[in-house]
Amino acid sequence: MVAAADAAARLIVAIDWDPATRAFELRNDGLTYILRVHRNGALGGVYLGPPLAPGGDRALLLGDAFDGFDNRLAASVALEYPTAGSGDYRVPAIEVEHADGSTVLELAYVAHRITAGKPPVVGLPSTYVEDDAEAETLEVDLRDALSGLEVTVVYSVFRDFAAITRRARIRNSGTSPVRLTTAMSASLDVPDADWDLVHLSGMWGRERQVIRRRLAPGRQAISSRRGASSHEHNPFLLLQRPATTEEHGEAIGFSLVYSGNFVAEAEVDSRDSTRIRLGINPEGFTWRLAPGDAFDTPEAVIVHSTAGVGGVSDTYHALYRQRLARGPWRDKPRPVVLNNWEGTYFAFDEPKLLAMASAARDVGVELFVLDDGWFGQRDDDTSSLGDWSVDRRKLPNGIDGLAQKVEALGLRFGLWIEPEMISRRSRLYEEHPDWAIGVPGRTATESRNQLVLDMSRREIVDHLFDILSDVLAGAPISYVKWDMNRTITEPFSPSLAPDRQGEFFHRYSLGVYELYARLTKAFPDILFESCAGGGGRFDPGLLAYAPQTWTSDDTDAMERLSIQYGTSLVYPLSAMVAHVSAVPNHQVGRITSLDTRAAVAFFGVFGYELDPTRFSAEDRAAVAEQIVFYKRWRELFQRGRFVRLRSPFDGDGNETAWMVVSADRRQAIVGWYQVLNRVVPPLNRLRLRGLDAALDYRLSLWPSRSDALERANAGVRGGDELMAAGLSLDASKDEALARGDFAARLFVLEAE
Ligand code: DGJ
């Protein structure tokens, strides 16, 4: 490797190539990643882990040279872009069908390039840099000599984040067509299986629950075939050592910047090596590469930490907030909104909405969002999707008239759309029944009484861009909530040749990205929020266009604890929209206090989802105070470092605690939540993290109640004491009685 003296003079981010060992070393302050070219030309994995001092000879790591599988069938050699059918029996990164029907590839090193910066992926979302000094990129060209197929494996390493991105570009440089049947974004072999596998799984209303299990021999995967990343599984995997905690120990995250069908898989082989692969789901996928054609995979983001699961989250939060989200809203404080959905559903008219907006303005709300039901003749969910013109029965002055009145009240105005959908009962369907996805002659399965538009077709994307541009240009619209309320069935596009139907799902995603890219470019000042029946497409792909996402349709505060906790493994609070809704809660019927509902929703992009004209005088005053509190601490809630303290997935799940800390560690807010109360509760201390041990903090409680909890904690406390000994959550018997179930309390810390 490079001489130590040279290395010391280098930038913190670096990629080196050593022609003697044919090894690449990628490193930054947080990690080192080493790969090599084997003697047979295959690209091999060597090391991913804590940073190694530059300049070492790496003899320990590079000793085991590999000549190929000849006479070594099924050797557990670590490979970076493995192929099938020639000795490696684990899951491959790439599979093809050649013109003669054979499927074997022998990918061998041809050349490489190391460049400053990080190029974008054409047509796909990705992380980015604003200055070439922020990252270095390595492109390694591999070639299958017989067919001419070329694969460029692309790695970028960031200066400021302990993350590596990976993707591949597959090009047919031969003379015959090739059918791609698997094209992973990343494949990585870890030399042991002593890991727990963590993923975020659930369903509508219960998204991103933390599932943790021991790795076992064989394949274990999560995936989507729904045309969206889905409520069921998030495109993310985490490996953590069994002893790893939130703050200590090794963990590696794998996140896919993609919103469509994906697979995230671990395979433990008979030698206890673990292969992780991540990319477009090969089930149902094919891509025809004519001579000269190329295919780009989505980007995978790999994060390594020795500071526990929290360390992995810290990196994803910072990277995704600063270098995945983009546009003017990336860094701006997000407004407190009132969304009318749970307040009215489809039953509203202009006076009703203006009364709600006015009541919202009076308590401090900054933006009023008109949700579903404003267009066509949409009195329920059986009609009108696709007819993006205002329903003048409800809104005689149009969106423009309404938006202007809302603005005159001193609020900004936001609008809900669901571009990708079509109702059978719509003008659009009468004119273009063939625009709905379906196989001619077969049943088109409905979901929520709607069908999906074929976003793989350019004319449909163009139509949506034109019609939605008119809507957005026709009124003072500051915010758009882009919903997607069903996933895809009967995948087929008449625009694709029979041998290209396997391209349908990915082309659908490309169409969605194109529409997002065009609309966000045409309307840069609009704050876009993505949504898919709640959090059914809460993924890094959409975060590249819409910096925030509606986290879940379940707005119950207790249910939201586990949803928001799980979401926070990958996604920053600036992406996580959380609203206070009415009680009894519309999803689970639970009655929680207004304080508790706010104390949960504060940790994210805050707002309300109810009818504020129905507030009692007491509620009105409480809500006004909540909004003052949130605005006072908005910067901290939206951009502070989020630290998980107690997991709703541990033990009986009765308690959750988390906190946000400012970058300078001078301010922090801790949230503590208890589902069910207990007689004589345990002596309970909550140790904080991420504070400055040398600072003293003035501690106050929200809401302030002059109770035992407040007496025990309020005052000036040392950061050392708060982290080593912790807050006291002990309550006297009387106060425990008064507290009841579904309790929440916030602790506000300000350095003296
Ligand atoms: C699902 C969303 O998640 C809700 O917030 C709401 O917008 C409805 N769709 C409207 O149909």
Side-chain angles (χ1 to χ4, degrees), residues 341 371-372 416 448 481 483 485 531 533-534 550 553 609:
W341 178 242
D371 209 281
D372 195 353
W416 176 98
R448 209 197 190 203
K481 177 180 173 189
D483 206 346
N485 279 297
C531 171
W550 179 228
D553 274 349
E609 182 102 4

Side-chain angles (χ1 to χ4, degrees), residues 118-137:
K118 181 176 188 293
V121 198
V122 178
L124 281 165
S126 61
T127 56
Y128 59 92
V129 293
E130 290 192 332
D131 182 315
D132 279 353
E134 289 181 22
E136 286 202 8
T137 294

